[in-house]
Amino acid sequence: MGELRKERIYVHSVIHAFNYSFIHLPMTAYILTIGDEILIGQVTDTNATYMANALNDEGYEVVEHLSVADTRTGIRDGLDRALAVADVVLRTGGLG
């Protein structure tokens, strides 16, 4: 059994908050990354890689990963798209 790290426990808790007995796995997941620095290649998106691995380990099927601009329109459109195609949406970035 793998070492329990704080990050794994948190991701596990977030994922299982959406996992009800009437839902058959694999549930679908969507990763939405927000940030201009990712779009211009200034920063490598390691958060999405970590999230995708954690979701996969828990039996979720990641159906898409999208990076959007740090604007109200970009975020709204990205969330609309994500909510239309997945059971669970994880968002990262958008701090600046």
Side-chain angles (χ1 to χ4, degrees), residues 11-63:
V11 170
H12 184 76
S13 298
V14 169
I15 291 170
H16 285 284
F18 296 96
N19 185 11
Y20 299 99
S21 61
F22 60 87
I23 297 175
H24 301 287
L25 290 177
M27 288 180 59
T28 57
Y30 194 105
I31 300 171
L32 180 63
T33 304
I34 301 166
D36 298 330
E37 65 281 0
I38 291 170
L39 293 175
I40 64 172
Q42 183 179 9
V43 173
T44 301
D45 185 5
T46 56
N47 289 345
T49 301
Y50 178 83
M51 290 173 153
N53 282 322
L55 288 162
N56 188 33
D57 288 348
E58 295 297 328
Y60 285 76
E61 176 186 359
V62 178
V63 294

Side-chain angles (χ1 to χ4, degrees), residues 68-85:
V68 298
D70 201 356
T71 64
R72 185 168 288 172
T73 301
I75 296 167
R76 183 191 63 232
D77 292 350
L79 280 172
D80 287 345
R81 178 178 173 92
L83 293 169
V85 300

